[in-house]
Every structure is written in C-alpha cells, then in structure tokens.
Amino acid sequence: MPVPDVMFCAQQIHVPPELPDIMKQFTKAAIRTQPRDVLQWSYGYFHALANGDPLPVKERVEMPVATQKNDTGLTPGLLKVLHKQLSEKETVDLPELQRRWKNLCLPMQQLHNLLRLDNFADGVEWMKFFALACSALGGSLHSSMKHACEILTKDPEGGAARIPYDTFAFIYCYLAGLDEEISQETVESFLNALKEQVSRKEYMVGIADFSTVKKTT
C-alpha cells in the first residue's frame, strides 16, 4: 500500500506571497460592506476580483436609510456599488443584474418589484432602473433626487453633490412621469426654472439648486 502524503511541519506548506494582502483587503471590504450573507457576498467578491470587475464593496460602513418604508436591504452605498458595476452599459441583461443584486445579498423580491414598474422586456435600461432604485430609497420625488445627486456626484463628501443638468433632468422627468399627480406642465416649469438657476454654474445641478427652485415653483 502506498504511503499517503503527510504534512510533517509548517515549512512544507507553501503560502502564495500575495495571499496575506488579498485576505487583508477582503476582510476590510467585508467589514465596510457588512453583507447579510457572507458566503454569497464572498462569491461575488472573488468572482469580480478574478475577472477584474468593480468589487461589490461599499466605500464606508453605513446604516439603512431611516426614511425607507420597508427594510429592503437596499442602501445608497449598495446602489452606488451597483452603479459602478453596471453603469458602463446603457442596457443591462436581466441575468447579470440579478447576479449582481444577489451577490450584494439584496432581496430578490425587491428587485422584481422594481422591474414591474416599467417594461424592461428587451433588457434593463440602467439609468431608468437606477432612478427606480432611488425612489425605493426615498419616499418622495425630492428625496429620490437627493439620493441620485449624492450617489452620482463626483464632488467630495459633504459638498454640493452636483451632477450634470441633463442627467438630473432625465431622472426627474422619468420619475415624475410615473407619478399621476405631477402634470407635464409642472415638470416643464420646474426644469425651466432650474435651468436658469444653474446656467452660470457649468450646467451642473446640486442639491441646494434643486431645493431652492422647488421652494419657488
């Protein structure tokens, strides 16, 4: 009978030199992201790492949004992760969106509920889905737009949270169009006033601009 391989001492164990740093970064990412299902999230993490994709990692630890009507698990930090992973594609295949959503340990029922709000038969138009996800975070159009600005901005944290006017207008029009109580005239009036407000600011819209115009229209 052949003698089985036996590990006699630690010196016989080969540890890849990059492993300690990989595990250190993985641990930090897990602490920041606080996934509900560590195993599922870990699968997504290492799958993304192996393929050079954006990692499913929050920028910082966060608590669930206090204004959410239900604890869906979705937070601005997780939506920002999804945006980094999927925004390069104008239209996302449903299986890929489902996989990314699942790897962030988000409830699938919430995803299905969001998808029912529009007709995504030929693929999921990302910015429309992003807008719907912002509406799930906020209880009103105003709070939804605030989330959109804070997630999309390139300004430093705590800054004006500016985004391009065209991006703001697209999200605003889309969400307002889903609200039967908001007329097209109201939408056009608001956007015209907003455009005048930001015309001297490189055509960028911040939360302060949005709030100011909202009060005057």
Side-chain angles (χ1 to χ4, degrees):
M1 176 180 289
V3 179
D5 292 334
V6 178
M7 196 68 70
F8 292 101
C9 62
Q11 285 74 16
Q12 291 178 274
I13 303 174
H14 172 67
V15 178
E18 64 272 19
L19 181 60
D21 185 61
I22 290 175
M23 297 309 299
K24 180 180 180 180
Q25 297 305 318
F26 166 76
T27 302
K28 288 182 177 180
I31 292 172
R32 285 204 306 274
T33 306
Q34 298 284 302
R36 293 184 173 190
D37 184 337
V38 176
L39 291 179
Q40 180 64 50
W41 177 82
S42 299
Y43 166 79
Y45 179 92
F46 286 109
H47 185 276
L49 186 65
N51 289 280
D53 296 333
L55 299 175
V57 180
K58 292 181 184 178
E59 294 181 354
R60 61 189 61 82
V61 178
E62 62 174 356
M63 298 298 292
V65 181
T67 56
Q68 286 180 236
K69 296 180 179 179
N70 300 299
D71 181 14
T72 64
L74 185 64
T75 67
L78 291 176
L79 182 53
K80 190 169 187 175
V81 170
L82 282 171
H83 185 70
K84 288 181 179 179
Q85 293 177 325
L86 299 171
S87 60
E88 290 186 0
K89 302 178 181 180
E90 292 185 4
T91 302
V92 181
D93 292 335
L94 180 57
E96 182 178 5
L97 174 57
Q98 291 174 326
R99 177 172 62 84
R100 301 283 189 178
W101 187 273
K102 183 178 180 180
N103 287 340
L104 286 173
C105 310
L106 292 168
M108 296 304 295
Q109 186 59 49
Q110 173 70 2
L111 175 60
H112 296 156
N113 291 342
L114 290 173
L115 292 173
R116 290 192 189 102
L117 297 175
D118 201 333
N119 180 18
F120 294 115
D122 298 324
V124 181
E125 188 174 337
W126 174 249
M127 286 308 296
K128 287 186 177 180
F129 181 83
F130 174 82
L132 294 174
C134 287
S135 71
L137 293 174
S140 65
L141 180 57
H142 180 273
S143 59
S144 299
M145 296 309 302
K146 181 175 182 291
H147 284 302
C149 289
E150 291 174 341
I151 293 170
L152 296 177
T153 189
K154 295 183 180 179
D155 289 340
E157 184 178 5
R162 299 167 301 166
I163 63 174
Y165 171 83
D166 289 343
T167 301
F168 184 98
F170 175 85
I171 296 174
Y172 182 85
C173 287
Y174 177 68
L175 291 180
L178 298 176
D179 190 334
E180 297 179 354
E181 296 183 359
I182 301 178
S183 67
Q184 182 63 30
E185 291 76 12
T186 299
V187 172
E188 292 176 358
S189 175
F190 171 81
L191 290 179
N192 288 335
L194 182 63
K195 186 180 294 186
E196 293 179 3
Q197 174 80 12
V198 303
S199 61
R200 297 183 296 277
K201 299 181 181 179
E202 301 178 354
Y203 225 47
M204 300 288 282
V205 179
I207 294 174
D209 299 310
F210 174 46
S211 298
T212 298
V213 173
K214 183 175 182 295
K215 292 177 181 179
T216 59
T217 56

